Amino acid sequence: MSTQQDTIYIVIATDNHYAILLAALLKSIEQNHKSGERIEFYIIDNGITPENIGKLKTILDPAAYGLHFCDMKKVLPKDMVLPVDGSALPFVAYMRMFAPYIIPAEAEKVLYLDVDMIVVTDISKLWHTDIGDYMVGCVQDHSAVVSCEWAGIRNYAQLGLSPDTKYFNSGLLHINAKAWRAANIPEQIIRCSEENKEYLSLADQYPLNVVFANKWFELDPRWNCKAILDINDPYIMHFIDIKPIYKSYNGSKFYQDTFYKYLNMTPWANYSPKSNYVRLWRKIYYKLIKTTSKLLNKTHT
């Protein structure tokens, strides 16, 4: 019988459109996990169809892996209104901040992974990384610092931050779950977003970097390697821009081939990349949802 001490907890959030990415990610973790711990996956689900949930449940051996689906509407506190930024990132992106709340209460830590990732080494190496007294461990973003003009924190000076303050990518989080809950980090993130709404960018990556400025553990950069940069010897490949399921994919060919290697071990085998129009319509759809949400929020305030 597996105990909490030798169980790895991983949270991933997605909608139905990216169920295919989730399939490849799950398979990549399973194929490279050799150290024996049981892994419990908690999927924050924003509308994955029953058909796709059925397919996803066939990917992992239930004797060694648990797969739990948590409805996003039930994860999000009823009185909480999610911030609206100008990006096309879906609201499900904000769900990473609730990762410590959907795992067992006795679990001391949790890993959050973006759905557009592929793990090419044993995830237990990340799980057993000691982040000391820090509440969260992350990888520095390729934008590097808060003063970066195309990412970063535009009002860093007003917040009292030095321009060379390091800026992390929120796609991978190694979280001290008990400390996170004790500090009520979601409430801090929402408050920060509201107080700085004119500067919000990249969904919750902005408030996370504000809340944890100079207070995060820097992980080995190989744990979050962007496909557009084609970094050698990655531990985790991250498809932050155009996903490998589209014909317009413009990242590393090696990363894309690795993605399909694992995808072809799932019910989505022999998938053909879709037209870029599908990607563009998806971005428009999310922007419309955000615009509608912003209008509704104004109506109720």
Side-chain angles (χ1 to χ4, degrees), residues 209-235:
N209 270 277
V210 174
V211 171
F212 288 107
N214 298 309
K215 295 184 291 186
W216 53 280
F217 180 87
E218 188 168 354
L219 295 166
D220 187 317
R222 288 174 291 181
W223 285 116
N224 193 344
C225 295
K226 319 302 187 303
I228 54 174
L229 302 179
D230 198 12
I231 297 165
N232 291 328
D233 190 29
Y235 293 163

Side-chain angles (χ1 to χ4, degrees), residues 11-287:
V11 173
I12 306 162
T14 189
D15 58 13
N16 189 62
H17 186 78
Y18 280 166
I20 184 172
L21 300 184
L22 177 59
L25 172 55
L26 293 175
K27 182 55 72 173
S28 72
I29 293 172
E30 180 205 51
Q31 289 291 299
N32 293 296
H33 181 46
K34 310 298 183 186
S35 53
E37 302 94 339
R38 181 173 178 80
I39 298 182
E40 296 287 347
F41 291 99
Y42 288 80
I43 311 302
I44 301 179
D45 159 21
N46 187 23
I48 303 178
T49 64
E51 178 188 5
N52 281 340
I53 286 178
K55 289 181 181 180
L56 290 163
K57 286 181 174 178
T58 69
I59 291 172
L60 304 169
D61 176 5
Y65 300 89
L67 187 58
H68 314 272
F69 290 87
C70 310
D71 187 334
M72 173 177 150
K73 294 183 183 66
K74 294 179 179 177
V75 172
L76 183 67
K78 287 185 174 60
D79 58 346
M80 183 172 284
V81 177
L82 293 176
V84 179
D85 71 331
S87 76
L89 291 169
F91 279 126
V92 74
Y94 282 96
M95 291 300 103
R96 78 193 79 223
M97 63 177 157
F98 299 108
Y101 297 84
I102 62 172
I103 58 173
E106 67 272 17
E108 295 184 357
K109 57 185 176 179
V110 62
L111 302 178
Y112 175 85
L113 275 67
D114 268 356
V115 73
D116 57 348
M117 288 179 155
I118 291 291
V119 178
V120 292
T121 191
D122 197 326
I123 197 68
S124 68
K125 296 176 185 175
L126 176 60
W127 179 255
H128 293 298
T129 298
D130 184 3
I131 65 170
D133 294 329
Y134 289 92
M135 198 182 302
V136 65
C138 324
V139 169
Q140 186 176 14
D141 192 66
H142 61 297
S143 58
V145 293
V146 298
S147 55
C148 173
E149 291 183 2
W150 51 268
I153 298 171
R154 285 186 294 149
N155 61 330
Y156 69 88
Q158 294 167 245
L159 295 170
L161 298 176
S162 167
D164 59 357
T165 301
K166 289 185 177 182
Y167 178 86
F168 63 82
N169 181 276
S170 63
L172 174 75
L173 302 174
H174 184 307
I175 299 172
N176 178 327
K178 292 192 173 182
W180 187 282
R181 291 192 296 263
N184 198 353
I185 294 300
E187 193 275 333
Q188 291 191 45
I189 289 172
I190 296 299
R191 186 172 68 246
C192 172
S193 300
E194 181 60 30
E195 291 173 351
N196 301 280
K197 54 189 173 186
E198 63 189 289
Y199 301 105
L200 274 185
S201 61
L202 301 175
D204 60 335
Q205 189 160 283
Y206 171 95
L208 278 166
N209 270 277
V210 174
V211 171
F212 288 107
N214 298 309
K215 295 184 291 186
W216 53 280
F217 180 87
E218 188 168 354
L219 295 166
D220 187 317
R222 288 174 291 181
W223 285 116
N224 193 344
C225 295
K226 319 302 187 303
I228 54 174
L229 302 179
D230 198 12
I231 297 165
N232 291 328
D233 190 29
Y235 293 163
I236 291 180
M237 300 173 172
H238 191 182
F239 299 91
I240 63 165
D241 191 20
I242 301 174
K243 313 309 176 194
I245 56 174
Y246 299 118
K247 290 179 180 178
S248 54
Y249 172 77
N250 58 357
S252 161
K253 179 67 164 58
F254 170 63
Y255 282 34
Q256 183 183 38
D257 289 346
T258 304
F259 169 83
Y260 278 99
K261 173 183 135 180
Y262 293 111
L263 187 67
N264 285 332
M265 299 178 190
T266 79
W268 281 267
N270 303 312
Y271 177 87
S272 297
K274 294 293 184 281
S275 163
N276 194 47
Y277 289 112
V278 175
R279 184 182 74 88
L280 294 176
W281 275 117
R282 175 180 160 79
K283 289 171 76 73
I284 292 169
Y285 171 72
Y286 282 132
K287 286 220 173 193

